[in-house]
Amino acid sequence: MSLHIPFDNSFARLPTDFYARQAPQPVKAPRLVVFNDTLAQVLGIRPGEAEELTQVFAGNDVPEGATPLAQLYAGHQFGSFNPQLGDGRAILLGETVGQDGVRRDIQLKGSGQTPFSRRGDGRAWLGPVLREYVVSEAMHALGIPTTRALAAVETGETVWREGAQPGAVLTRVAQSHLRVGTFQVFAARGQIANLRKLTDYAIQRHYPDADGPMGLLRAVRDAQSRLIADWMAVGFIHGVMNTDNSSISGETIDYGPCAFMDVYHPHTVYSSIDRAGRYAYANQPDIAVWNLAQLATALIQQLDDPQAGVEEATEIVHAMPDLTQANWLNRFRAKLGLSSVQEGDLELVTDLLARMAQNQCDFTNTFRALSDGTARDQFVDPAAYDSWAEGRQRRMEGEPDPVALQRASNPAFIPRNHRVEEMISAAVSGDYSLFDRLNAALSRPYEDQPENADLQRPPTPDEEVQATFCGT
Ligand code: AMP
Ligand code: MG
């Protein structure tokens, strides 16, 4: 039996202005690290022999039916517009329509140079590849929209970052790789016919009920406002929310120097290149609005009456903060075990968070402990918890099943940054046991797993990761 991927490639049928046809660049000595059989099944892939998987997901063999290409896009990076980015080290092999009827992209990342590589080598090193594998699969298990990881291959080649590193290729899967920046590139070039084609394509693929460009804008806004609330609820910091890393489907995409927060503080930043804290934890809702405004600016260019469009688009964008806030509050209500809506809920949540910040509480463990009565132990000053808990006790009256709701809303396991770093160091020296262990534990994040209690522990001061480098 041999590998079969039932490709059905719609993006490749768009005009050639949208991409550059480009085959992946072969690598010297590929070794398959991991293949995600469960995901393969969803995609309708028949896996075949290990050797075939290795060659295909290293980029050495192009599978039958693939139409390999690098996608064009632009983007605002840390607020300044770059008129041309594009897949500088990624190749879209094609799409499948899965067993669930969902169309998904299959993309190699780190598969060599493309016409959009600028000065980059087109490659990725093992560390970020394994981080994306673990964190994106964990995100999926948490129930948060995300790209997923289908395979990781070591290339047997050296990649130069902060020193010599082992090279690797990640295969990732997304509902699409359309980004805010995909719209920006055509708007910036004044290619209105292409902008219209892209808009129609995005609507058909993601939001078939959306009515025209402004309907699309509204749908993206709603999906993004849910996504940001989801991130906030698990303490996730994306780290590089540039418009080229902001997906139209509302999935988490382009995992770089991302991390889940340990100690709760709203200003937390992990990325070493984000010196001003533009993409700090608590800024993410505002940045999503800023990114949506860039999408609006691009979409408007195709309207027959752009002035009327400006007004409607402004209204759509301006409604986003309240929507995100409402989604956020629903998420945090559930984290407190509250299924009803009452006045004063917002104050109850923000009061807890303020006390958590003052008391250096671990974000994940404090919320998880709300259901077993040990949350006060997480506070430097347990009295700060007690006085908050009185108010909560009153609010809990009449709540049907707060403990079950809490346990389903507060994960016990997140990919702790120090564990991810430890996993990467071990893998670089050939030991994949922690990689396997993390994937297994993180696939059931809401279940207690006493045998994995060490993975719940926050870092000690010397285990703490100071900065996650963007040398991805
Ligand atoms: P990122 O911030 O990782 O999403 O990447 C931003 C842009 O830089 C995208 O266009 C990437 O394709 C490109 N890029 C990042 N790393 C490399 C690399 N090593 N070689 C070529 N292009 C790269
Ligand atoms: Mg990117």
Side-chain angles (χ1 to χ4, degrees), residues 73 77 85 109 172 179 240 242 244-246 253-254:
Y73 51 85
Q77 298 179 303
L85 292 163
K109 183 172 174 180
R172 68 177 178 183
R179 306 143 190 275
V240 205
N242 293 334
D244 53 303
N245 295 336
S246 168
I253 191 172
D254 278 15

Side-chain angles (χ1 to χ4, degrees), residues 121-399:
D121 60 3
R123 294 296 180 188
W125 76 274
L126 186 59
V129 164
L130 297 182
R131 180 186 291 113
E132 177 157 353
Y133 194 100
V134 168
V135 179
S136 68
E137 285 299 298
M139 197 67 104
H140 172 73
L142 286 165
I144 299 177
T146 177
T147 60
R148 296 195 60 189
L150 179 64
V153 174
E154 284 193 45
T155 60
E157 296 178 357
T158 299
V159 168
W160 295 91
R161 292 296 181 262
E162 292 104 17
Q165 305 287 0
V169 177
L170 178 79
T171 304
R172 68 177 178 183
V173 167
Q175 298 215 359
S176 84
H177 287 84
L178 300 182
R179 306 143 190 275
V180 169
T182 318
F183 290 82
Q184 288 182 291
V185 76
F186 295 130
R189 291 178 179 185
Q191 296 181 1
I192 303 307
N194 284 337
L195 185 61
R196 289 203 169 111
K197 282 198 181 91
L198 177 64
T199 303
D200 290 345
Y201 178 79
I203 290 174
Q204 213 176 55
R205 187 157 174 184
H206 296 298
Y207 306 105
D209 299 331
D211 186 11
M214 293 300 107
L216 175 63
L217 183 64
R218 214 174 265 116
V220 173
R221 174 198 64 190
D222 293 353
Q224 283 284 342
S225 76
R226 283 192 300 270
L227 178 67
I228 302 299
D230 285 352
W231 288 356
M232 301 301 280
V234 295
F236 179 71
I237 303 163
H238 181 283
V240 205
M241 286 177 70
N242 293 334
T243 59
D244 53 303
N245 295 336
S246 168
S247 108
I248 296 303
S249 71
E251 294 173 293
T252 313
I253 191 172
D254 278 15
Y255 290 82
C258 61
F260 284 72
M261 173 164 62
D262 296 300
V263 171
Y264 172 67
H265 198 286
H267 299 154
T268 307
V269 178
Y270 283 92
S271 165
S272 60
I273 54 167
D274 189 6
R275 287 191 198 88
R278 178 181 170 91
Y279 300 135
Y281 173 73
N283 282 359
Q284 298 182 121
D286 288 345
I287 290 294
V289 177
W290 196 91
N291 288 350
L292 191 77
Q294 308 316 313
L295 178 63
T297 305
L299 285 171
I300 286 169
Q301 315 295 318
Q302 67 191 291
L303 300 179
D304 296 327
D305 180 359
Q307 201 41 50
V310 169
E311 269 168 47
E312 191 181 355
T314 304
E315 216 172 279
I316 293 169
V317 173
H318 282 182
M320 190 177 189
D322 285 350
L323 274 172
T324 308
Q325 164 94 343
N327 290 330
W328 178 91
L329 186 53
N330 281 337
R331 289 304 230 136
F332 277 81
R333 258 195 208 103
K335 289 175 80 66
L336 299 191
L338 306 173
S339 52
S340 66
V341 173
Q342 280 186 27
E343 215 173 298
D345 288 348
L346 177 64
E347 290 72 19
L348 191 67
V349 173
T350 50
D351 185 21
L352 173 62
L353 289 171
R355 290 167 194 245
M356 283 172 60
Q358 270 163 17
N359 283 271
Q360 293 152 46
C361 293
D362 182 82
F363 183 82
T364 304
N365 291 353
T366 302
F367 278 103
R368 183 73 177 180
L370 287 175
S371 56
D372 65 16
T374 62
R376 72 189 303 274
D377 305 344
Q378 301 285 331
F379 287 68
V380 174
D381 171 19
Y385 173 77
D386 294 338
S387 51
W388 174 81
E390 286 167 24
R392 170 169 177 259
Q393 202 51 46
R394 283 193 297 277
R395 173 65 180 80
M396 298 281 272
E397 270 166 45
E399 281 294 334

Side-chain angles (χ1 to χ4, degrees), residues 3-9 40 42-46 64-66 94-99 103 106:
L3 171 67
H4 176 69
I5 307 176
F7 283 112
D8 175 4
N9 305 335
V42 175
L43 299 175
I45 295 176
R46 190 179 69 207
E64 200 186 313
E95 302 140 40
T96 72
V97 178
Q99 305 202 316
R103 175 179 294 279
I106 301 176

